Amino acid sequence: MKIVFFGTPTFSMPFLQTLIDDPDITVVGVVSQPDKPVGRGAEVQASPIKILALSHEIPVFTPTSLKTDPEIQKILRYLNADLFVVVAYGKLIPQSILDIAPQGVINVHPSLLPRHRGPSPMQFAIAQGDVFTGVSIMLLDAGMDTGPILSFERIDLSAEETYTTLSQKVQTTGSRLLVETLKRHMRGEIVPLAQDDTKATVTHLLDREDGHVNWTETMEVIERKSRAYCEWPGLWSVWSRSAQEQVRLKLLSLRPADFAADLK
């Protein structure tokens, strides 16, 4: 089985490594986002997936746009892969790329679709108080996480679940499920299941303002957000020292307290 892998962040690395380690799979190329300036020094760095792929001598391609770069389509056709696999690439895959892979483009989405479509499914599952979420392996279409499901697996959420701990669960479960699904898909053993769009919910890309505490919300909601946003954007508030001076405070750890009970 020949695969081209699309991915960018650290989150994608266990998935790529699992594919590399499988004797029945050959990763013939990797597509990642271009090198970007990082940190206060704005030092240009390659993506974690690019670094991992190059360490295994796998060709890496970093087009600025999958839509407008004519060379990337030529390259993908030349690689002659059976499948493309997408794990947190960071951009929508245009139809012109979806049409290249003969066995389709398979995406790993960290929720039980159609719930929590979009870019922030793990954070939303925690912030909204879900008691479970999961991993869905799906065929990509031109929509945002709207394609048919090939397989899925449930993941229970603990009362202390954070984005960090959930990411680790998804990586472990999802890597195994991905390989199992790819092999069954290639053998023609899976009938894709269309999503029920009437049950869909959609997440948005988080920004810094999502971490701004709204103190009119319940303590349970605020505490869940602290766990969901622990890596980005974090939780923060503003303290007014005076009418002229305000200080931005980062809230590193929160615990709901029953003050009435404590006073007793």
Side-chain angles (χ1 to χ4, degrees), residues 168-215:
Q168 293 167 350
K169 291 179 179 180
V170 168
Q171 289 169 328
T172 300
T173 300
S175 297
R176 170 185 50 78
L177 185 63
L178 172 62
V179 171
E180 294 172 357
T181 304
L182 290 176
K183 294 181 179 182
R184 292 182 59 217
H185 177 65
M186 288 293 289
R187 294 194 296 263
E189 297 176 356
I190 300 177
V191 177
L193 177 65
Q195 297 186 42
D196 184 351
D197 291 339
T198 65
K199 297 180 179 179
T201 63
V202 179
T203 69
H204 63 261
L205 186 65
L206 297 175
D207 61 26
R208 189 177 298 276
E209 190 59 29
D210 284 296
H212 191 176
V213 177
N214 177 0
W215 293 108

Side-chain angles (χ1 to χ4, degrees), residues 110-147:
S111 80
L112 294 179
L113 291 168
R115 184 165 175 79
H116 297 322
R117 291 174 176 172
S120 309
M122 290 184 285
Q123 295 96 324
F124 269 61
I126 296 171
Q128 294 185 6
D130 294 359
V131 296
F132 65 87
T133 184
V135 180
S136 299
I137 311 295
M138 58 176 291
L139 284 168
L140 278 184
D141 60 15
M144 184 175 66
D145 303 322
T146 56

Side-chain angles (χ1 to χ4, degrees), residues 40-137:
R40 293 183 178 179
E43 179 182 355
V44 176
Q45 294 183 7
S47 73
I49 279 295
K50 179 179 179 179
I51 294 170
L52 176 60
L54 291 177
S55 72
H56 290 277
E57 300 182 342
I58 299 171
V60 179
F61 310 98
T62 56
T64 55
S65 171
L66 293 176
K67 289 184 178 180
T68 60
D69 187 338
E71 290 302 313
I72 190 61
Q73 294 189 30
K74 294 179 183 177
I75 291 168
L76 291 173
R77 289 190 176 92
Y78 174 79
L79 291 173
N80 196 31
D82 301 298
L83 291 157
F84 298 163
V85 173
V86 180
V87 184
Y89 174 61
K91 295 182 179 180
L92 288 176
I93 311 295
Q95 190 65 50
S96 58
I97 300 296
L98 298 177
D99 292 338
I100 295 175
Q103 296 298 323
V105 181
I106 292 181
N107 180 57
V108 178
H109 188 79
S111 80
L112 294 179
L113 291 168
R115 184 165 175 79
H116 297 322
R117 291 174 176 172
S120 309
M122 290 184 285
Q123 295 96 324
F124 269 61
I126 296 171
Q128 294 185 6
D130 294 359
V131 296
F132 65 87
T133 184
V135 180
S136 299
I137 311 295

Side-chain angles (χ1 to χ4, degrees), residues 1-3 18-20 22-27 179 182-183:
M1 189 192 316
K2 294 167 61 178
I3 286 175
T18 299
L19 295 175
I20 292 171
D22 193 286
D24 298 324
I25 295 173
T26 301
V27 181
V179 171
L182 290 176
K183 294 181 179 182

